[in-house]
Amino acid sequence: MRDSPVPAGLGGAAASADGLTVGRVADSLGLTVRTLHHWDAVGLACPSLRTPGGYRLYTAQDVERLQRIVVYRELGLGLTAIRALLDDPHAAAPAELRRHRERIRERIARLEQLDTGLERMISAHERGILLTSEQQRAVFGPDWDPAWVEGARMRWGTTAQWAQYAERSAERGPEEWQAIADAMAEFEGALADALDHGVAPGEPAADRLVDRHREVFSAYFPLSRSMQVCLARMYRADPAFAAHYDGIRPGLADWFRAIVDESARAHGVDPDTAVWE
């Protein structure tokens, strides 16, 4: 049973000349008998009377002390602080309560920050990118379609990778996304240059580009070599991705898949059996 605030009307019930039993006081104050026994054991609030049979009874003064303890505890004070306020004649209650109030305000500020972070995390899981459509086009270019993100969520929203993507997205604003977009654009430009210069799959320059792709892509979520093979396969098979890469250079989607496959083979991954991990 959870302890609750002091109910009205206890004063009259507690004024019995014979005192009140532990169970009666516990019920009246909304406490547990175990709590009263603990406070008795630590000397915080002890019954002052005993019946001939040895049962402990609380006097009206005892109950008044309990009422104050409950109020202070509801305010969040610990038992040590409560004892000082009740028993130390020199204790400055207003100063102690002000200090406690300041600690509560600090906790409220932390909880508000946590609430804001949770709200962004939930939104990121549901939306992917926490930017308006206008902001997304400003970052990713005028050909960007914000509906692509929703399509990705519908397709991969239950995967571990989407969760990683969303959790990182929750921390990002336009500047962070712009830096990621710039890094990807720079990488794609390097791909185009390598294709223009006739870099062949398996050459050191091609392998460096494959490694660079995993590094740049890790801004979204970690990418293994096997997963990279699957991604390169999708870049070639998906019409939207193929159009994007072939729009940079004709044949770029095919060439990128070829250099990824060759690099995977060199590292013991068979492209024909690669799976999304």
Side-chain angles (χ1 to χ4, degrees):
M1 175 179 178
R2 190 181 68 86
D3 297 339
S4 61
V6 181
L10 178 60
S16 169
D18 297 329
L20 293 174
T21 64
V22 173
R24 176 76 180 279
V25 172
D27 289 342
S28 299
L29 289 173
L31 300 171
T32 63
V33 170
R34 182 177 180 180
T35 295
L36 290 179
H37 282 161
H38 174 66
W39 291 354
D40 182 10
V42 299
L44 180 63
C46 304
S48 298
L49 300 177
R50 282 185 181 274
T51 68
Y55 291 102
R56 307 291 295 272
L57 296 176
Y58 289 89
T59 66
Q61 187 175 359
D62 295 336
V63 173
E64 181 180 337
R65 180 181 176 92
L66 285 170
Q67 289 175 320
R68 294 183 66 193
I69 293 172
V70 172
V71 169
Y72 282 137
R73 196 179 65 157
E74 285 293 315
L75 293 174
L77 272 69
L79 297 186
T80 300
I82 293 173
R83 186 195 303 274
L85 288 172
L86 295 179
D87 295 340
D88 184 355
H90 303 293
E96 175 61 29
L97 293 175
R98 285 192 182 96
R99 285 193 293 271
H100 187 66
R101 185 185 185 194
E102 185 60 31
R103 290 193 292 270
I104 288 176
R105 285 178 169 177
E106 292 172 356
R107 185 181 179 191
I108 289 172
R110 291 195 297 271
L111 289 173
E112 287 177 344
Q113 292 176 347
L114 178 60
D115 180 65
T116 298
L118 287 173
E119 182 180 11
R120 287 185 61 83
M121 188 73 72
I122 292 168
S123 295
H125 274 273
E126 294 175 345
R127 295 169 47 197
I129 298 178
L130 302 185
L131 302 179
T132 65
S133 297
E134 293 73 16
Q135 288 174 322
Q136 291 182 46
R137 292 190 181 94
V139 170
F140 303 115
D143 295 332
W144 174 265
D145 184 354
W148 291 340
V149 181
E150 175 60 18
R153 187 189 69 81
M154 295 295 293
R155 186 172 181 179
W156 294 297
T158 59
T159 65
Q161 288 75 34
W162 179 266
Q164 292 171 311
Y165 169 76
E167 288 162 9
R168 296 180 182 189
S169 176
E171 302 295 326
R172 291 172 178 159
E175 296 79 9
E176 290 79 12
W177 280 114
Q178 187 64 63
I180 293 170
D182 291 344
M184 186 60 74
E186 184 179 352
F187 166 73
E188 290 173 348
L191 280 183
D193 289 343
L195 179 60
D196 291 343
H197 287 83
V199 174
E203 291 185 0
D207 290 340
R208 286 194 295 270
L209 285 170
V210 173
D211 291 341
R212 185 176 170 187
H213 172 255
R214 285 199 316 282
E215 179 182 349
V216 172
F217 193 89
S218 67
Y220 304 114
F221 52 81
L223 192 69
S224 69
R225 290 188 181 276
S226 182
M227 293 165 68
Q228 187 180 30
V229 169
C230 297
L231 199 63
R233 187 184 305 153
M234 185 187 70
Y235 287 170
R236 179 63 190 88
D238 186 277
F241 280 108
H244 170 74
Y245 281 96
D246 290 342
I248 297 172
R249 288 292 190 280
L252 186 60
D254 279 331
W255 180 78
F256 179 65
R257 176 176 177 179
I259 67 171
V260 169
D261 284 358
E262 192 60 35
S263 179
R265 290 189 188 95
H267 288 84
V269 176
D270 182 358
D272 295 329
T273 58
V275 294
W276 191 265
E277 300 170 332

